[in-house]
mmCIF file with all atom_site columns, all heavy atoms in Angstrom:
data_model
loop_
_atom_site.group_PDB
_atom_site.id
_atom_site.type_symbol
_atom_site.label_atom_id
_atom_site.label_alt_id
_atom_site.label_comp_id
_atom_site.label_asym_id
_atom_site.label_entity_id
_atom_site.label_seq_id
_atom_site.pdbx_PDB_ins_code
_atom_site.Cartn_x
_atom_site.Cartn_y
_atom_site.Cartn_z
_atom_site.occupancy
_atom_site.B_iso_or_equiv
_atom_site.pdbx_formal_charge
_atom_site.auth_seq_id
_atom_site.auth_comp_id
_atom_site.auth_asym_id
_atom_site.auth_atom_id
_atom_site.pdbx_PDB_model_num
ATOM 1  N N   . LYS A 1 50 ? 78.132 93.889  97.531  1.00 0.00 ? 50 LYS A N   1
ATOM 2  C CA  . LYS A 1 50 ? 76.782 93.716  97.015  1.00 0.00 ? 50 LYS A CA  1
ATOM 3  C C   . LYS A 1 50 ? 76.776 93.811  95.497  1.00 0.00 ? 50 LYS A C   1
ATOM 4  O O   . LYS A 1 50 ? 77.626 94.473  94.906  1.00 0.00 ? 50 LYS A O   1
ATOM 5  C CB  . LYS A 1 50 ? 75.853 94.781  97.612  1.00 0.00 ? 50 LYS A CB  1
ATOM 6  C CG  . LYS A 1 50 ? 75.682 94.653  99.124  1.00 0.00 ? 50 LYS A CG  1
ATOM 7  C CD  . LYS A 1 50 ? 74.756 95.720  99.659  1.00 0.00 ? 50 LYS A CD  1
ATOM 8  C CE  . LYS A 1 50 ? 74.584 95.590  101.170 1.00 0.00 ? 50 LYS A CE  1
ATOM 9  N NZ  . LYS A 1 50 ? 73.702 96.641  101.735 1.00 0.00 ? 50 LYS A NZ  1
ATOM 10 N N   . PRO A 1 51 ? 75.824 93.151  94.832  1.00 0.00 ? 51 PRO A N   1
ATOM 11 C CA  . PRO A 1 51 ? 75.754 93.227  93.370  1.00 0.00 ? 51 PRO A CA  1
ATOM 12 C C   . PRO A 1 51 ? 75.545 94.656  92.894  1.00 0.00 ? 51 PRO A C   1
ATOM 13 O O   . PRO A 1 51 ? 74.925 95.484  93.577  1.00 0.00 ? 51 PRO A O   1
ATOM 14 C CB  . PRO A 1 51 ? 74.545 92.348  93.024  1.00 0.00 ? 51 PRO A CB  1
ATOM 15 C CG  . PRO A 1 51 ? 74.354 91.456  94.214  1.00 0.00 ? 51 PRO A CG  1
ATOM 16 C CD  . PRO A 1 51 ? 74.791 92.257  95.398  1.00 0.00 ? 51 PRO A CD  1
ATOM 17 N N   . SER A 1 52 ? 76.049 94.947  91.707  1.00 0.00 ? 52 SER A N   1
ATOM 18 C CA  . SER A 1 52 ? 75.862 96.263  91.107  1.00 0.00 ? 52 SER A CA  1
ATOM 19 C C   . SER A 1 52 ? 74.395 96.486  90.761  1.00 0.00 ? 52 SER A C   1
ATOM 20 O O   . SER A 1 52 ? 73.681 95.555  90.384  1.00 0.00 ? 52 SER A O   1
ATOM 21 C CB  . SER A 1 52 ? 76.713 96.366  89.838  1.00 0.00 ? 52 SER A CB  1
ATOM 22 O OG  . SER A 1 52 ? 76.463 97.572  89.154  1.00 0.00 ? 52 SER A OG  1
ATOM 23 N N   . VAL A 1 53 ? 73.945 97.730  90.896  1.00 0.00 ? 53 VAL A N   1
ATOM 24 C CA  . VAL A 1 53 ? 72.557 98.072  90.570  1.00 0.00 ? 53 VAL A CA  1
ATOM 25 C C   . VAL A 1 53 ? 72.560 99.133  89.470  1.00 0.00 ? 53 VAL A C   1
ATOM 26 O O   . VAL A 1 53 ? 73.573 99.769  89.192  1.00 0.00 ? 53 VAL A O   1
ATOM 27 C CB  . VAL A 1 53 ? 71.792 98.589  91.807  1.00 0.00 ? 53 VAL A CB  1
ATOM 28 C CG1 . VAL A 1 53 ? 71.712 97.510  92.866  1.00 0.00 ? 53 VAL A CG1 1
ATOM 29 C CG2 . VAL A 1 53 ? 72.444 99.839  92.381  1.00 0.00 ? 53 VAL A CG2 1
ATOM 30 N N   . ARG A 1 54 ? 71.404 99.324  88.857  1.00 0.00 ? 54 ARG A N   1
ATOM 31 C CA  . ARG A 1 54 ? 71.286 100.299 87.769  1.00 0.00 ? 54 ARG A CA  1
ATOM 32 C C   . ARG A 1 54 ? 70.048 101.152 87.971  1.00 0.00 ? 54 ARG A C   1
ATOM 33 O O   . ARG A 1 54 ? 68.968 100.638 88.282  1.00 0.00 ? 54 ARG A O   1
ATOM 34 C CB  . ARG A 1 54 ? 71.187 99.569  86.429  1.00 0.00 ? 54 ARG A CB  1
ATOM 35 C CG  . ARG A 1 54 ? 71.008 100.495 85.223  1.00 0.00 ? 54 ARG A CG  1
ATOM 36 C CD  . ARG A 1 54 ? 72.292 101.202 84.865  1.00 0.00 ? 54 ARG A CD  1
ATOM 37 N NE  . ARG A 1 54 ? 72.158 101.967 83.632  1.00 0.00 ? 54 ARG A NE  1
ATOM 38 C CZ  . ARG A 1 54 ? 72.328 103.284 83.542  1.00 0.00 ? 54 ARG A CZ  1
ATOM 39 N NH1 . ARG A 1 54 ? 72.622 104.003 84.610  1.00 0.00 ? 54 ARG A NH1 1
ATOM 40 N NH2 . ARG A 1 54 ? 72.212 103.899 82.381  1.00 0.00 ? 54 ARG A NH2 1
ATOM 41 N N   . GLU A 1 55 ? 70.211 102.457 87.846  1.00 0.00 ? 55 GLU A N   1
ATOM 42 C CA  . GLU A 1 55 ? 69.089 103.389 87.830  1.00 0.00 ? 55 GLU A CA  1
ATOM 43 C C   . GLU A 1 55 ? 69.153 104.126 86.502  1.00 0.00 ? 55 GLU A C   1
ATOM 44 O O   . GLU A 1 55 ? 69.910 105.083 86.332  1.00 0.00 ? 55 GLU A O   1
ATOM 45 C CB  . GLU A 1 55 ? 69.168 104.346 89.016  1.00 0.00 ? 55 GLU A CB  1
ATOM 46 C CG  . GLU A 1 55 ? 68.994 103.660 90.367  1.00 0.00 ? 55 GLU A CG  1
ATOM 47 C CD  . GLU A 1 55 ? 68.949 104.644 91.521  1.00 0.00 ? 55 GLU A CD  1
ATOM 48 O OE1 . GLU A 1 55 ? 68.412 105.761 91.335  1.00 0.00 ? 55 GLU A OE1 1
ATOM 49 O OE2 . GLU A 1 55 ? 69.447 104.301 92.607  1.00 0.00 ? 55 GLU A OE2 1
ATOM 50 N N   . ALA A 1 56 ? 68.337 103.670 85.559  1.00 0.00 ? 56 ALA A N   1
ATOM 51 C CA  . ALA A 1 56 ? 68.466 104.091 84.160  1.00 0.00 ? 56 ALA A CA  1
ATOM 52 C C   . ALA A 1 56 ? 68.291 105.590 83.956  1.00 0.00 ? 56 ALA A C   1
ATOM 53 O O   . ALA A 1 56 ? 68.910 106.168 83.061  1.00 0.00 ? 56 ALA A O   1
ATOM 54 C CB  . ALA A 1 56 ? 67.456 103.320 83.311  1.00 0.00 ? 56 ALA A CB  1
ATOM 55 N N   . ASN A 1 57 ? 67.480 106.228 84.747  1.00 0.00 ? 57 ASN A N   1
ATOM 56 C CA  . ASN A 1 57 ? 67.190 107.646 84.532  1.00 0.00 ? 57 ASN A CA  1
ATOM 57 C C   . ASN A 1 57 ? 67.896 108.556 85.531  1.00 0.00 ? 57 ASN A C   1
ATOM 58 O O   . ASN A 1 57 ? 67.524 109.713 85.684  1.00 0.00 ? 57 ASN A O   1
ATOM 59 C CB  . ASN A 1 57 ? 65.678 107.878 84.589  1.00 0.00 ? 57 ASN A CB  1
ATOM 60 C CG  . ASN A 1 57 ? 64.946 107.136 83.491  1.00 0.00 ? 57 ASN A CG  1
ATOM 61 O OD1 . ASN A 1 57 ? 65.378 107.154 82.330  1.00 0.00 ? 57 ASN A OD1 1
ATOM 62 N ND2 . ASN A 1 57 ? 63.848 106.469 83.825  1.00 0.00 ? 57 ASN A ND2 1
#
Side-chain angles (χ1 to χ4, degrees):
K50 296 180 180 179
S52 174
V53 297
R54 178 75 174 120
E55 294 185 34
N57 297 315

